[in-house]
Amino acid sequence: MNRFTQFIVIVLISLGLLEIVVRMNIEHPETARTFWLSPLQLGIKLPPYPDPLTKLQDFLDRTSDSNDSLAIYDADLGYTYRPGYADPKTLMIHNSQSIRVGDITKEYSRKPDSNTLRIAIFGDSFSHGDGVAYTETWGHHLEMELRSQGIEAEVLNFGVGGYGMDQAFLRYLNQGVKFHPDLVIFGFSIENTFRNLYLFRYFYKQGLTSIPLSKPRFLLKEDELHLINHPTPKPEEIPDILRNFSGWQYGKYDRFYFEDEYQKRFWHHLESVTLLVAIYRRYRLSLLGDAPNGEGYLLAQAIINAFAQSAIDNQSDFLIVHLPPKNHLPHYAKTGAFGYDEQLKTLESRYSVVRPEKQMLNAVQGGSIDSLFGDVHFSRLGHMIIGEAAARYIADDSSLSNH
């Protein structure tokens, strides 16, 4: 056997062993196949992913003729929470203004009382407070803590689960500004750097989402923001878009869409090859958000800059609250830094930023970081620490607490 033949044999044996290892570590849930490495707590969903048209039809069946769904279509934002709805499953209650409240009858005047510090929070599910009751959210803790310090505060929670920074900003422009907040708080979640880069949450989540609608998206051209896919397509228009997504005028701007991931390809029969392709693509996508010159990084900074300027133009102060995710806190605990510190440093050089991560770690000294979180979102303890940290920051800064 010559050396070339030996090399081929070794390669084939190695690939065969890799195929066996991959197949042994694949879970087969109904929604998507997942390669799972327990020691690393690493899960990678493998294509082909579920047909988006099926998920869309399920959403339409649940929402088109029903007043019993949490999310509804919104032309400006893609989707929003149903006004005047209390979801018995999630403890989420939203008043007729689609603001999270503890009592569905609670309404907010368009302008605050002269002696009230009105604060409006914008962001995703970590700002909205998914997984806990309204009175356990960091927004409510912020209000209560400020009041305990003699500051007559009122906190309006405009957070929406699944929102990107773009949608949070647009919700402020379309709805929040009408309530004349004295202070606008943006909940900064690093994941949303990537959410700014898609048009359909379905492709970003690889089928694991209950909201198959599209969203608006900003493009950054010559340092200027340009809004596309606005107004967003109506639900009944989406099937035609999905049937020919590559041919849709905005399809090329969804960085998480790969046509072959939704169709059976010959290499999908080899799980090891499918896994390697998926890992490579996710790595390339990570560079868009992590690298200082990446599209996600630059776009996130541009959106936040525009958000802050809009708040200032409307006579509001602007504050960022950093919301550290569960998968990044262990690294911070060991090194004192996040993998996205460059983004945080840039924001801190421009704006006031609340950094609650030290208080969060101090609260669990000798214990587990898991106590700060539920499954993915913050636990009651995590919310309390963040709310109190934000309140102390505001109370200590007279320019924010006086209005």
Side-chain angles (χ1 to χ4, degrees):
M1 184 182 295
N2 60 39
R3 290 189 175 183
F4 178 74
T5 302
Q6 290 178 335
F7 173 74
I8 294 299
V9 170
I10 292 173
V11 169
L12 291 176
I13 291 175
S14 300
L15 288 175
L17 291 174
L18 177 61
E19 183 71 14
I20 292 172
V21 170
V22 172
R23 287 179 179 270
M24 289 178 62
N25 287 277
I26 288 181
E27 297 179 353
H28 294 268
E30 296 180 1
T31 48
R33 299 175 305 133
T34 304
F35 173 76
W36 185 254
L37 278 180
S38 297
L40 299 178
Q41 292 294 294
L42 174 67
I44 300 176
K45 293 184 284 295
L46 300 180
Y49 304 125
D51 179 8
L53 286 171
T54 302
K55 186 63 69 79
L56 175 64
Q57 189 57 54
D58 176 66
F59 178 84
L60 294 175
D61 291 343
R62 287 186 291 107
T63 62
S64 58
D65 297 318
S66 171
N67 292 320
D68 193 30
S69 64
L70 179 62
I72 59 172
Y73 165 75
D74 185 279
D76 292 311
L77 306 171
Y79 66 93
T80 191
Y81 289 132
R82 182 181 296 278
Y85 180 69
D87 189 336
K89 297 180 181 178
T90 62
L91 307 177
M92 298 181 191
I93 302 173
H94 301 93
N95 65 12
S96 67
Q97 299 156 323
S98 204
I99 299 171
R100 187 167 188 188
V101 291
D103 180 351
I104 201 168
T105 63
K106 171 68 176 178
E107 298 290 322
Y108 294 98
S109 61
R110 287 296 185 177
K111 289 188 177 182
D113 293 338
S114 58
N115 65 335
T116 298
L117 175 67
R118 173 169 284 183
I119 301 172
I121 295 174
F122 297 86
D124 62 2
S125 54
F126 286 85
S127 296
H128 177 263
D130 282 21
V132 298
Y134 169 77
T135 54
E136 298 166 336
T137 62
W138 65 263
H140 184 72
H141 282 293
L142 167 61
E143 180 177 293
M144 294 296 100
E145 184 64 22
L146 287 174
R147 289 185 178 182
S148 72
Q149 298 185 43
I151 300 173
E152 190 61 33
E154 177 183 56
V155 177
L156 283 61
N157 190 334
F158 288 90
V160 178
Y163 265 20
M165 298 175 186
D166 43 15
Q167 290 166 292
F169 174 36
L170 290 170
R171 186 164 198 212
Y172 166 73
L173 292 178
N174 294 329
Q175 300 169 4
V177 70
K178 299 174 183 177
F179 288 85
H180 303 279
D182 300 297
L183 174 62
V184 172
I185 293 182
F186 171 60
F188 178 83
S189 299
I190 188 60
E191 181 192 354
N192 298 344
T193 299
F194 299 99
R195 292 180 181 177
N196 300 331
L197 300 176
Y198 67 74
L199 289 160
F200 276 84
R201 180 173 171 81
Y202 189 91
F203 300 132
Y204 173 68
K205 299 295 287 186
Q206 299 158 333
L208 298 181
T209 179
S210 60
I211 303 175
L213 303 177
S214 71
K215 61 178 274 294
R217 180 204 193 303
F218 285 106
L219 301 178
L220 190 59
K221 296 181 179 179
E222 298 180 352
D223 297 327
E224 295 287 336
L225 289 173
H226 298 268
L227 187 62
I228 63 171
N229 196 38
H230 183 265
T232 57
K234 297 177 181 178
E236 58 269 24
E237 297 171 342
I238 293 179
D240 287 339
I241 293 173
L242 294 178
R243 291 189 185 99
N244 183 26
F245 193 77
S246 297
W248 183 42
Q249 61 177 328
Y250 300 128
K252 63 182 178 181
Y253 298 115
D254 194 312
R255 300 293 182 247
F256 292 86
Y257 174 74
F258 300 95
E259 185 175 6
D260 60 71
E261 292 185 341
Y262 297 88
Q263 301 173 6
K264 189 70 176 178
R265 301 296 194 187
F266 70 89
W267 63 82
H268 289 157
H269 294 288
L270 291 173
E271 305 287 17
S272 56
V273 174
T274 303
L275 174 63
L276 291 174
V277 171
I279 291 175
Y280 173 73
R281 283 178 172 168
R282 296 310 171 246
Y283 168 72
R284 290 294 303 272
L285 288 169
S286 72
L287 296 180
L288 294 176
D290 296 341
N293 62 342
E295 181 186 5
Y297 181 103
L298 296 173
L299 187 57
Q301 295 292 331
I303 291 172
I304 295 172
N305 291 344
F307 198 160
Q309 189 58 54
S310 294
I312 293 169
D313 290 344
N314 285 286
Q315 289 75 55
S316 299
D317 291 314
F318 185 76
L319 176 67
I320 295 172
V321 173
H322 174 225
L323 303 174
K326 185 176 184 179
N327 60 330
H328 284 269
L329 263 183
H331 181 266
Y332 176 81
K334 292 179 180 179
T335 66
F338 290 99
Y340 53 92
D341 257 15
E342 189 71 27
Q343 286 228 45
L344 290 174
K345 290 177 181 177
T346 300
L347 293 175
E348 287 182 305
S349 70
R350 299 171 179 170
Y351 312 110
S352 298
V353 181
V354 179
R355 300 282 299 268
E357 51 267 22
K358 288 184 179 179
Q359 293 96 315
M360 295 174 77
L361 293 178
N362 288 339
V364 295
Q365 279 187 346
S368 172
I369 289 175
D370 290 345
S371 63
L372 298 169
F373 297 86
D375 50 356
V376 175
H377 298 97
F378 298 124
S379 64
R380 287 178 290 179
L381 174 62
H383 276 283
M384 182 182 69
I385 295 169
I386 294 169
E388 291 178 351
R392 284 193 295 270
Y393 192 102
I394 294 169
D396 290 342
D397 188 336
S398 60
S399 67
L400 297 177
S401 56
N402 295 330
H403 59 95

